[in-house]
Amino acid sequence: MENCVLCQIINGRVPSKKVYDDNDILAVLDINGSNIGHTFIMPKMHYTIIEQVPSHIIGKVFNIANKVSTVMFDTLNIQGTNIFVSNGVAAGQMVAHFMINVIPRKENDDINLQWVPKQLSEEEMSTVELQLKDAIAHVPLSEDKKLKKPSVIPEPIEISGEDNYLLKQLRRIP
Amino acid sequence: MAQNPTPEQLAELQEKLKNMSPEELKEFQKSQCIFCQIVQGKVQAKKVYDDNKLIAILDINPANPGHMLVIPKEHYMIMPQIPEDEIAYFFTVVKNLSQVSLRSLEAEGTNIIVANGQAAGQRAQHFMAHVIPRKEGDKVSFSLPQKPHADKELETIREKMSEQLMSKSPKKEKPIIIEKPEKQVVEAKFKEEPKASLKKAKSEEINIDDIAKMFGK
């Protein structure tokens, strides 16, 4: 993808500090990370949002996140790590290329991944519960437990019309 | 669950724990874990998804309506304990739940958060992921301030991290399969003691003090 800065990092046109590199996945340091060591993990194929990413890549990318987190504990003087995904502009996604943040944490650093709990009535909670349950019942959520590697790398998964607004929003990102 | 025990009760408990087998200790740990209790149906929760490996429930302190916690049924306390194939399955379900919340709740985005360690916001000794539906103007603000770093420092860290990561790297073209992983390093993860900076969570042994502390919660 020409306009995608992460694709340019992946194909070497933009320099980066790589910490992990294989056929499918790249992990690089954020040079302006909130805490030093903040790492971005991304599939080499250009997927915009997590919903498009095929299962075998999801598996790889999160397993590498797990390893990066462990390595951070070993090599940096930290007290925690967060794995953080921003999916969609409303969730803070800045680049239209799916990636995971692995963020090293220290006590009293100035990162805030907390929230003020919203006070929802029992009725509101039940409504949401039913909406989700209903939607989940109509979608097969658990894919084949044996993750098969496809013989051909698939195209990004097509999302139906109602989800395209998410993609349209992301395409606005320069 | 929690009443502050007297010193005598604590001492009695510690004696009891010392004499337990690893299986009994595991069962005991589970009985003290509220999320295991939820998995077993002993504690109420709004469950939206349930299969033989994991469940998803609504968080009772939600950032937004539809805020879900995805929880493995197995009592994994920290992420390094979880085998690769289980991680892959877990996050595939997380991805699908994210998609469901976009559709059914008309969310405009989702955040997925895992907290490893207290400093990262981990509150329970049971691994979980948050899936938080987002909308413009929802008053949820996660703050990751940008800070420049010296190139030298970055380079040092890059070297240290990549040295460890590239030696762990799986062979190219290898799919994730549900068999024992070949790489020794991955196996060692489950026998190794987790680092002290993580909340103490040994897969076989239990730190007696931590169990005792749980009563204080």
Side-chain angles (χ1 to χ4, degrees), chain A residues 25-60:
Chain A
I25 312 284
L26 180 65
V28 305
L29 292 181
D30 182 356
I31 57 174
N32 292 314
S34 317
N35 281 333
I36 193 166
H38 183 150
T39 301
F40 299 136
I41 304 177
M42 63 196 84
K44 288 189 170 178
M45 275 213 76
H46 182 91
Y47 303 109
T48 318
I49 51 175
I50 195 175
E51 284 75 12
Q52 290 181 310
V53 183
S55 306
H56 71 286
I57 298 289
I58 293 275
K60 284 194 176 181

PDB file of all heavy atoms in Angstrom, chain A residues 25-60:
ATOM      1  N   ILE A  25       5.292 -11.394   9.971  1.00  0.00           N
ATOM      2  CA  ILE A  25       5.125 -10.407  11.041  1.00  0.00           C
ATOM      3  C   ILE A  25       6.384  -9.568  11.223  1.00  0.00           C
ATOM      4  O   ILE A  25       7.503 -10.069  11.098  1.00  0.00           O
ATOM      5  CB  ILE A  25       4.891 -11.116  12.406  1.00  0.00           C
ATOM      6  CG1 ILE A  25       3.835 -12.213  12.304  1.00  0.00           C
ATOM      7  CG2 ILE A  25       4.551 -10.132  13.514  1.00  0.00           C
ATOM      8  CD1 ILE A  25       2.438 -11.727  12.234  1.00  0.00           C
ATOM      9  N   LEU A  26       6.176  -8.290  11.527  1.00  0.00           N
ATOM     10  CA  LEU A  26       7.303  -7.420  11.862  1.00  0.00           C
ATOM     11  C   LEU A  26       7.019  -6.725  13.193  1.00  0.00           C
ATOM     12  O   LEU A  26       5.882  -6.325  13.451  1.00  0.00           O
ATOM     13  CB  LEU A  26       7.467  -6.351  10.777  1.00  0.00           C
ATOM     14  CG  LEU A  26       8.608  -5.357  10.989  1.00  0.00           C
ATOM     15  CD1 LEU A  26       9.954  -6.053  10.929  1.00  0.00           C
ATOM     16  CD2 LEU A  26       8.548  -4.233   9.965  1.00  0.00           C
ATOM     17  N   ALA A  27       8.054  -6.616  14.031  1.00  0.00           N
ATOM     18  CA  ALA A  27       7.901  -5.851  15.272  1.00  0.00           C
ATOM     19  C   ALA A  27       8.998  -4.794  15.327  1.00  0.00           C
ATOM     20  O   ALA A  27      10.174  -5.113  15.135  1.00  0.00           O
ATOM     21  CB  ALA A  27       8.005  -6.765  16.489  1.00  0.00           C
ATOM     22  N   VAL A  28       8.595  -3.540  15.579  1.00  0.00           N
ATOM     23  CA  VAL A  28       9.571  -2.441  15.630  1.00  0.00           C
ATOM     24  C   VAL A  28       9.335  -1.603  16.877  1.00  0.00           C
ATOM     25  O   VAL A  28       8.221  -1.572  17.423  1.00  0.00           O
ATOM     26  CB  VAL A  28       9.473  -1.510  14.387  1.00  0.00           C
ATOM     27  CG1 VAL A  28       9.612  -2.301  13.106  1.00  0.00           C
ATOM     28  CG2 VAL A  28       8.185  -0.723  14.379  1.00  0.00           C
ATOM     29  N   LEU A  29      10.386  -0.903  17.312  1.00  0.00           N
ATOM     30  CA  LEU A  29      10.253  -0.018  18.465  1.00  0.00           C
ATOM     31  C   LEU A  29       9.579   1.279  18.031  1.00  0.00           C
ATOM     32  O   LEU A  29       9.798   1.772  16.931  1.00  0.00           O
ATOM     33  CB  LEU A  29      11.630   0.332  19.043  1.00  0.00           C
ATOM     34  CG  LEU A  29      12.405  -0.789  19.709  1.00  0.00           C
ATOM     35  CD1 LEU A  29      13.740  -0.257  20.241  1.00  0.00           C
ATOM     36  CD2 LEU A  29      11.626  -1.413  20.853  1.00  0.00           C
ATOM     37  N   ASP A  30       8.763   1.810  18.933  1.00  0.00           N
ATOM     38  CA  ASP A  30       8.198   3.140  18.713  1.00  0.00           C
ATOM     39  C   ASP A  30       9.266   4.141  19.141  1.00  0.00           C
ATOM     40  O   ASP A  30       9.666   4.153  20.307  1.00  0.00           O
ATOM     41  CB  ASP A  30       6.925   3.300  19.555  1.00  0.00           C
ATOM     42  CG  ASP A  30       6.249   4.653  19.348  1.00  0.00           C
ATOM     43  OD1 ASP A  30       6.805   5.503  18.612  1.00  0.00           O
ATOM     44  OD2 ASP A  30       5.167   4.857  19.918  1.00  0.00           O
ATOM     45  N   ILE A  31       9.732   4.973  18.209  1.00  0.00           N
ATOM     46  CA  ILE A  31      10.813   5.900  18.589  1.00  0.00           C
ATOM     47  C   ILE A  31      10.298   7.037  19.460  1.00  0.00           C
ATOM     48  O   ILE A  31      11.079   7.724  20.118  1.00  0.00           O
ATOM     49  CB  ILE A  31      11.575   6.437  17.364  1.00  0.00           C
ATOM     50  CG1 ILE A  31      10.616   7.132  16.386  1.00  0.00           C
ATOM     51  CG2 ILE A  31      12.324   5.317  16.664  1.00  0.00           C
ATOM     52  CD1 ILE A  31      11.337   7.806  15.236  1.00  0.00           C
ATOM     53  N   ASN A  32       8.969   7.221  19.484  1.00  0.00           N
ATOM     54  CA  ASN A  32       8.393   8.231  20.371  1.00  0.00           C
ATOM     55  C   ASN A  32       7.435   7.585  21.355  1.00  0.00           C
ATOM     56  O   ASN A  32       6.404   8.156  21.690  1.00  0.00           O
ATOM     57  CB  ASN A  32       7.616   9.277  19.553  1.00  0.00           C
ATOM     58  CG  ASN A  32       8.538  10.111  18.699  1.00  0.00           C
ATOM     59  OD1 ASN A  32       9.566  10.574  19.193  1.00  0.00           O
ATOM     60  ND2 ASN A  32       8.204  10.274  17.433  1.00  0.00           N
ATOM     61  N   GLY A  33       7.788   6.410  21.824  1.00  0.00           N
ATOM     62  CA  GLY A  33       6.906   5.675  22.723  1.00  0.00           C
ATOM     63  C   GLY A  33       6.763   6.358  24.059  1.00  0.00           C
ATOM     64  O   GLY A  33       7.659   7.053  24.516  1.00  0.00           O
ATOM     65  N   SER A  34       5.637   6.123  24.694  1.00  0.00           N
ATOM     66  CA  SER A  34       5.409   6.700  26.016  1.00  0.00           C
ATOM     67  C   SER A  34       6.450   6.209  27.008  1.00  0.00           C
ATOM     68  O   SER A  34       6.965   6.961  27.819  1.00  0.00           O
ATOM     69  CB  SER A  34       4.028   6.326  26.524  1.00  0.00           C
ATOM     70  OG  SER A  34       3.092   6.440  25.502  1.00  0.00           O
ATOM     71  N   ASN A  35       6.735   4.924  26.957  1.00  0.00           N
ATOM     72  CA  ASN A  35       7.845   4.374  27.719  1.00  0.00           C
ATOM     73  C   ASN A  35       8.799   3.748  26.724  1.00  0.00           C
ATOM     74  O   ASN A  35       8.370   3.119  25.761  1.00  0.00           O
ATOM     75  CB  ASN A  35       7.361   3.302  28.706  1.00  0.00           C
ATOM     76  CG  ASN A  35       6.746   3.908  29.954  1.00  0.00           C
ATOM     77  OD1 ASN A  35       7.075   5.020  30.349  1.00  0.00           O
ATOM     78  ND2 ASN A  35       5.857   3.173  30.576  1.00  0.00           N
ATOM     79  N   ILE A  36      10.062   3.900  26.959  1.00  0.00           N
ATOM     80  CA  ILE A  36      11.019   3.383  25.976  1.00  0.00           C
ATOM     81  C   ILE A  36      10.924   1.856  25.932  1.00  0.00           C
ATOM     82  O   ILE A  36      10.811   1.200  26.957  1.00  0.00           O
ATOM     83  CB  ILE A  36      12.453   3.885  26.270  1.00  0.00           C
ATOM     84  CG1 ILE A  36      13.350   3.603  25.075  1.00  0.00           C
ATOM     85  CG2 ILE A  36      13.009   3.265  27.548  1.00  0.00           C
ATOM     86  CD1 ILE A  36      14.661   4.327  25.117  1.00  0.00           C
ATOM     87  N   GLY A  37      10.916   1.324  24.723  1.00  0.00           N
ATOM     88  CA  GLY A  37      10.719  -0.116  24.553  1.00  0.00           C
ATOM     89  C   GLY A  37       9.347  -0.418  23.987  1.00  0.00           C
ATOM     90  O   GLY A  37       9.079  -1.545  23.567  1.00  0.00           O
ATOM     91  N   HIS A  38       8.480   0.580  23.963  1.00  0.00           N
ATOM     92  CA  HIS A  38       7.145   0.442  23.367  1.00  0.00           C
ATOM     93  C   HIS A  38       7.323  -0.117  21.953  1.00  0.00           C
ATOM     94  O   HIS A  38       8.052   0.422  21.145  1.00  0.00           O
ATOM     95  CB  HIS A  38       6.492   1.825  23.340  1.00  0.00           C
ATOM     96  CG  HIS A  38       5.094   1.848  22.816  1.00  0.00           C
ATOM     97  ND1 HIS A  38       4.176   2.779  23.246  1.00  0.00           N
ATOM     98  CD2 HIS A  38       4.444   1.101  21.892  1.00  0.00           C
ATOM     99  CE1 HIS A  38       3.025   2.589  22.626  1.00  0.00           C
ATOM    100  NE2 HIS A  38       3.161   1.581  21.793  1.00  0.00           N
ATOM    101  N   THR A  39       6.627  -1.232  21.700  1.00  0.00           N
ATOM    102  CA  THR A  39       6.824  -1.958  20.442  1.00  0.00           C
ATOM    103  C   THR A  39       5.524  -2.051  19.661  1.00  0.00           C
ATOM    104  O   THR A  39       4.456  -2.245  20.249  1.00  0.00           O
ATOM    105  CB  THR A  39       7.345  -3.382  20.758  1.00  0.00           C
ATOM    106  OG1 THR A  39       8.564  -3.273  21.484  1.00  0.00           O
ATOM    107  CG2 THR A  39       7.598  -4.189  19.498  1.00  0.00           C
ATOM    108  N   PHE A  40       5.636  -1.903  18.345  1.00  0.00           N
ATOM    109  CA  PHE A  40       4.498  -2.146  17.457  1.00  0.00           C
ATOM    110  C   PHE A  40       4.695  -3.501  16.802  1.00  0.00           C
ATOM    111  O   PHE A  40       5.771  -3.790  16.287  1.00  0.00           O
ATOM    112  CB  PHE A  40       4.447  -1.118  16.320  1.00  0.00           C
ATOM    113  CG  PHE A  40       4.297   0.310  16.750  1.00  0.00           C
ATOM    114  CD1 PHE A  40       5.067   1.299  16.154  1.00  0.00           C
ATOM    115  CD2 PHE A  40       3.381   0.679  17.718  1.00  0.00           C
ATOM    116  CE1 PHE A  40       4.928   2.630  16.522  1.00  0.00           C
ATOM    117  CE2 PHE A  40       3.238   2.009  18.095  1.00  0.00           C
ATOM    118  CZ  PHE A  40       4.020   2.986  17.490  1.00  0.00           C
ATOM    119  N   ILE A  41       3.643  -4.321  16.790  1.00  0.00           N
ATOM    120  CA  ILE A  41       3.732  -5.615  16.110  1.00  0.00           C
ATOM    121  C   ILE A  41       2.699  -5.598  14.998  1.00  0.00           C
ATOM    122  O   ILE A  41       1.521  -5.309  15.251  1.00  0.00           O
ATOM    123  CB  ILE A  41       3.426  -6.756  17.085  1.00  0.00           C
ATOM    124  CG1 ILE A  41       4.376  -6.658  18.280  1.00  0.00           C
ATOM    125  CG2 ILE A  41       3.592  -8.110  16.393  1.00  0.00           C
ATOM    126  CD1 ILE A  41       4.140  -7.688  19.344  1.00  0.00           C
ATOM    127  N   MET A  42       3.116  -5.891  13.788  1.00  0.00           N
ATOM    128  CA  MET A  42       2.190  -5.773  12.658  1.00  0.00           C
ATOM    129  C   MET A  42       2.341  -6.927  11.666  1.00  0.00           C
ATOM    130  O   MET A  42       3.451  -7.411  11.441  1.00  0.00           O
ATOM    131  CB  MET A  42       2.446  -4.459  11.936  1.00  0.00           C
ATOM    132  CG  MET A  42       3.835  -4.386  11.330  1.00  0.00           C
ATOM    133  SD  MET A  42       4.371  -2.729  10.877  1.00  0.00           S
ATOM    134  CE  MET A  42       4.993  -2.111  12.438  1.00  0.00           C
ATOM    135  N   PRO A  43       1.222  -7.349  11.084  1.00  0.00           N
ATOM    136  CA  PRO A  43       1.340  -8.311   9.988  1.00  0.00           C
ATOM    137  C   PRO A  43       1.947  -7.610   8.779  1.00  0.00           C
ATOM    138  O   PRO A  43       1.702  -6.407   8.573  1.00  0.00           O
ATOM    139  CB  PRO A  43      -0.109  -8.718   9.695  1.00  0.00           C
ATOM    140  CG  PRO A  43      -0.966  -7.982  10.647  1.00  0.00           C
ATOM    141  CD  PRO A  43      -0.163  -6.961  11.350  1.00  0.00           C
ATOM    142  N   LYS A  44       2.715  -8.325   7.989  1.00  0.00           N
ATOM    143  CA  LYS A  44       3.319  -7.691   6.820  1.00  0.00           C
ATOM    144  C   LYS A  44       2.282  -7.389   5.749  1.00  0.00           C
ATOM    145  O   LYS A  44       2.423  -6.446   4.970  1.00  0.00           O
ATOM    146  CB  LYS A  44       4.455  -8.560   6.284  1.00  0.00           C
ATOM    147  CG  LYS A  44       5.668  -8.514   7.209  1.00  0.00           C
ATOM    148  CD  LYS A  44       6.892  -9.175   6.619  1.00  0.00           C
ATOM    149  CE  LYS A  44       8.085  -8.852   7.500  1.00  0.00           C
ATOM    150  NZ  LYS A  44       9.320  -9.505   7.034  1.00  0.00           N
ATOM    151  N   MET A  45       1.235  -8.199   5.709  1.00  0.00           N
ATOM    152  CA  MET A  45       0.152  -7.893   4.761  1.00  0.00           C
ATOM    153  C   MET A  45      -0.659  -6.725   5.295  1.00  0.00           C
ATOM    154  O   MET A  45      -0.845  -6.594   6.501  1.00  0.00           O
ATOM    155  CB  MET A  45      -0.755  -9.106   4.614  1.00  0.00           C
ATOM    156  CG  MET A  45      -0.236 -10.086   3.595  1.00  0.00           C
ATOM    157  SD  MET A  45      -1.565 -10.923   2.729  1.00  0.00           S
ATOM    158  CE  MET A  45      -2.116  -9.667   1.621  1.00  0.00           C
ATOM    159  N   HIS A  46      -1.181  -5.933   4.379  1.00  0.00           N
ATOM    160  CA  HIS A  46      -1.896  -4.741   4.794  1.00  0.00           C
ATOM    161  C   HIS A  46      -3.345  -5.057   5.139  1.00  0.00           C
ATOM    162  O   HIS A  46      -4.189  -5.180   4.255  1.00  0.00           O
ATOM    163  CB  HIS A  46      -1.851  -3.681   3.688  1.00  0.00           C
ATOM    164  CG  HIS A  46      -2.532  -2.395   4.064  1.00  0.00           C
ATOM    165  ND1 HIS A  46      -1.863  -1.351   4.665  1.00  0.00           N
ATOM    166  CD2 HIS A  46      -3.820  -1.997   3.954  1.00  0.00           C
ATOM    167  CE1 HIS A  46      -2.716  -0.358   4.888  1.00  0.00           C
ATOM    168  NE2 HIS A  46      -3.907  -0.720   4.472  1.00  0.00           N
ATOM    169  N   TYR A  47      -3.649  -5.204   6.420  1.00  0.00           N
ATOM    170  CA  TYR A  47      -5.027  -5.329   6.890  1.00  0.00           C
ATOM    171  C   TYR A  47      -5.342  -4.053   7.649  1.00  0.00           C
ATOM    172  O   TYR A  47      -4.525  -3.582   8.432  1.00  0.00           O
ATOM    173  CB  TYR A  47      -5.186  -6.523   7.843  1.00  0.00           C
ATOM    174  CG  TYR A  47      -4.757  -7.844   7.260  1.00  0.00           C
ATOM    175  CD1 TYR A  47      -3.605  -8.479   7.713  1.00  0.00           C
ATOM    176  CD2 TYR A  47      -5.501  -8.471   6.268  1.00  0.00           C
ATOM    177  CE1 TYR A  47      -3.200  -9.690   7.193  1.00  0.00           C
ATOM    178  CE2 TYR A  47      -5.103  -9.688   5.733  1.00  0.00           C
ATOM    179  CZ  TYR A  47      -3.952 -10.284   6.199  1.00  0.00           C
ATOM    180  OH  TYR A  47      -3.553 -11.489   5.685  1.00  0.00           O
ATOM    181  N   THR A  48      -6.531  -3.515   7.453  1.00  0.00           N
ATOM    182  CA  THR A  48      -6.843  -2.236   8.090  1.00  0.00           C
ATOM    183  C   THR A  48      -7.279  -2.404   9.537  1.00  0.00           C
ATOM    184  O   THR A  48      -6.838  -1.682  10.413  1.00  0.00           O
ATOM    185  CB  THR A  48      -7.962  -1.528   7.314  1.00  0.00           C
ATOM    186  OG1 THR A  48      -7.706  -1.681   5.924  1.00  0.00           O
ATOM    187  CG2 THR A  48      -8.013  -0.054   7.639  1.00  0.00           C
ATOM    188  N   ILE A  49      -8.193  -3.334   9.756  1.00  0.00           N
ATOM    189  CA  ILE A  49      -8.737  -3.531  11.102  1.00  0.00           C
ATOM    190  C   ILE A  49      -8.675  -5.009  11.458  1.00  0.00           C
ATOM    191  O   ILE A  49      -8.581  -5.849  10.576  1.00  0.00           O
ATOM    192  CB  ILE A  49     -10.190  -3.026  11.220  1.00  0.00           C
ATOM    193  CG1 ILE A  49     -11.065  -3.598  10.097  1.00  0.00           C
ATOM    194  CG2 ILE A  49     -10.237  -1.513  11.240  1.00  0.00           C
ATOM    195  CD1 ILE A  49     -12.533  -3.248  10.226  1.00  0.00           C
ATOM    196  N   ILE A  50      -8.776  -5.289  12.739  1.00  0.00           N
ATOM    197  CA  ILE A  50      -8.591  -6.662  13.209  1.00  0.00           C
ATOM    198  C   ILE A  50      -9.573  -7.634  12.585  1.00  0.00           C
ATOM    199  O   ILE A  50      -9.247  -8.791  12.351  1.00  0.00           O
ATOM    200  CB  ILE A  50      -8.623  -6.732  14.761  1.00  0.00           C
ATOM    201  CG1 ILE A  50      -8.063  -8.059  15.261  1.00  0.00           C
ATOM    202  CG2 ILE A  50     -10.035  -6.485  15.278  1.00  0.00           C
ATOM    203  CD1 ILE A  50      -7.944  -8.161  16.764  1.00  0.00           C
ATOM    204  N   GLU A  51     -10.768  -7.138  12.271  1.00  0.00           N
ATOM    205  CA  GLU A  51     -11.782  -8.035  11.719  1.00  0.00           C
ATOM    206  C   GLU A  51     -11.359  -8.626  10.382  1.00  0.00           C
ATOM    207  O   GLU A  51     -11.855  -9.662   9.970  1.00  0.00           O
ATOM    208  CB  GLU A  51     -13.119  -7.295  11.572  1.00  0.00           C
ATOM    209  CG  GLU A  51     -13.866  -7.086  12.895  1.00  0.00           C
ATOM    210  CD  GLU A  51     -13.281  -5.985  13.780  1.00  0.00           C
ATOM    211  OE1 GLU A  51     -12.433  -5.222  13.287  1.00  0.00           O
ATOM    212  OE2 GLU A  51     -13.670  -5.901  14.955  1.00  0.00           O
ATOM    213  N   GLN A  52     -10.460  -7.951   9.683  1.00  0.00           N
ATOM    214  CA  GLN A  52     -10.023  -8.443   8.378  1.00  0.00           C
ATOM    215  C   GLN A  52      -8.903  -9.471   8.469  1.00  0.00           C
ATOM    216  O   GLN A  52      -8.592 -10.134   7.491  1.00  0.00           O
ATOM    217  CB  GLN A  52      -9.467  -7.285   7.547  1.00  0.00           C
ATOM    218  CG  GLN A  52     -10.499  -6.289   7.092  1.00  0.00           C
ATOM    219  CD  GLN A  52      -9.840  -5.204   6.271  1.00  0.00           C
ATOM    220  OE1 GLN A  52      -8.841  -4.632   6.703  1.00  0.00           O
ATOM    221  NE2 GLN A  52     -10.368  -4.936   5.114  1.00  0.00           N
ATOM    222  N   VAL A  53      -8.282  -9.550   9.629  1.00  0.00           N
ATOM    223  CA  VAL A  53      -7.067 -10.363   9.735  1.00  0.00           C
ATOM    224  C   VAL A  53      -7.425 -11.841   9.873  1.00  0.00           C
ATOM    225  O   VAL A  53      -8.207 -12.204  10.743  1.00  0.00           O
ATOM    226  CB  VAL A  53      -6.224  -9.895  10.953  1.00  0.00           C
ATOM    227  CG1 VAL A  53      -4.924 -10.677  11.053  1.00  0.00           C
ATOM    228  CG2 VAL A  53      -5.953  -8.414  10.878  1.00  0.00           C
ATOM    229  N   PRO A  54      -6.870 -12.712   9.016  1.00  0.00           N
ATOM    230  CA  PRO A  54      -7.213 -14.133   9.103  1.00  0.00           C
ATOM    231  C   PRO A  54      -6.659 -14.780  10.376  1.00  0.00           C
ATOM    232  O   PRO A  54      -5.674 -14.309  10.946  1.00  0.00           O
ATOM    233  CB  PRO A  54      -6.556 -14.745   7.860  1.00  0.00           C
ATOM    234  CG  PRO A  54      -5.550 -13.760   7.412  1.00  0.00           C
ATOM    235  CD  PRO A  54      -5.932 -12.416   7.928  1.00  0.00           C
ATOM    236  N   SER A  55      -7.302 -15.869  10.786  1.00  0.00           N
ATOM    237  CA  SER A  55      -6.976 -16.490  12.081  1.00  0.00           C
ATOM    238  C   SER A  55      -5.513 -16.855  12.251  1.00  0.00           C
ATOM    239  O   SER A  55      -4.964 -16.676  13.333  1.00  0.00           O
ATOM    240  CB  SER A  55      -7.788 -17.764  12.281  1.00  0.00           C
ATOM    241  OG  SER A  55      -9.128 -17.493  12.129  1.00  0.00           O
ATOM    242  N   HIS A  56      -4.902 -17.382  11.202  1.00  0.00           N
ATOM    243  CA  HIS A  56      -3.526 -17.851  11.409  1.00  0.00           C
ATOM    244  C   HIS A  56      -2.587 -16.672  11.680  1.00  0.00           C
ATOM    245  O   HIS A  56      -1.609 -16.804  12.424  1.00  0.00           O
ATOM    246  CB  HIS A  56      -3.038 -18.714  10.237  1.00  0.00           C
ATOM    247  CG  HIS A  56      -2.784 -17.966   8.971  1.00  0.00           C
ATOM    248  ND1 HIS A  56      -3.775 -17.478   8.161  1.00  0.00           N
ATOM    249  CD2 HIS A  56      -1.626 -17.610   8.375  1.00  0.00           C
ATOM    250  CE1 HIS A  56      -3.254 -16.870   7.139  1.00  0.00           C
ATOM    251  NE2 HIS A  56      -1.945 -16.926   7.225  1.00  0.00           N
ATOM    252  N   ILE A  57      -2.921 -15.510  11.145  1.00  0.00           N
ATOM    253  CA  ILE A  57      -2.102 -14.324  11.415  1.00  0.00           C
ATOM    254  C   ILE A  57      -2.406 -13.772  12.812  1.00  0.00           C
ATOM    255  O   ILE A  57      -1.510 -13.332  13.535  1.00  0.00           O
ATOM    256  CB  ILE A  57      -2.338 -13.232  10.348  1.00  0.00           C
ATOM    257  CG1 ILE A  57      -1.927 -13.743   8.977  1.00  0.00           C
ATOM    258  CG2 ILE A  57      -1.592 -11.950  10.690  1.00  0.00           C
ATOM    259  CD1 ILE A  57      -0.433 -13.894   8.766  1.00  0.00           C
ATOM    260  N   ILE A  58      -3.680 -13.807  13.199  1.00  0.00           N
ATOM    261  CA  ILE A  58      -4.040 -13.394  14.564  1.00  0.00           C
ATOM    262  C   ILE A  58      -3.226 -14.207  15.560  1.00  0.00           C
ATOM    263  O   ILE A  58      -2.643 -13.673  16.505  1.00  0.00           O
ATOM    264  CB  ILE A  58      -5.548 -13.627  14.843  1.00  0.00           C
ATOM    265  CG1 ILE A  58      -6.410 -12.702  14.001  1.00  0.00           C
ATOM    266  CG2 ILE A  58      -5.870 -13.480  16.319  1.00  0.00           C
ATOM    267  CD1 ILE A  58      -6.640 -11.344  14.584  1.00  0.00           C
ATOM    268  N   GLY A  59      -3.202 -15.511  15.344  1.00  0.00           N
ATOM    269  CA  GLY A  59      -2.456 -16.400  16.233  1.00  0.00           C
ATOM    270  C   GLY A  59      -0.996 -15.985  16.320  1.00  0.00           C
ATOM    271  O   GLY A  59      -0.438 -15.839  17.410  1.00  0.00           O
ATOM    272  N   LYS A  60      -0.390 -15.767  15.171  1.00  0.00           N
ATOM    273  CA  LYS A  60       1.035 -15.411  15.154  1.00  0.00           C
ATOM    274  C   LYS A  60       1.278 -14.091  15.857  1.00  0.00           C
ATOM    275  O   LYS A  60       2.180 -13.948  16.687  1.00  0.00           O
ATOM    276  CB  LYS A  60       1.527 -15.271  13.711  1.00  0.00           C
ATOM    277  CG  LYS A  60       1.736 -16.584  13.033  1.00  0.00           C
ATOM    278  CD  LYS A  60       2.532 -16.413  11.767  1.00  0.00           C
ATOM    279  CE  LYS A  60       2.801 -17.793  11.191  1.00  0.00           C
ATOM    280  NZ  LYS A  60       3.576 -17.730   9.974  1.00  0.00           N
TER     281      LYS A  60
END
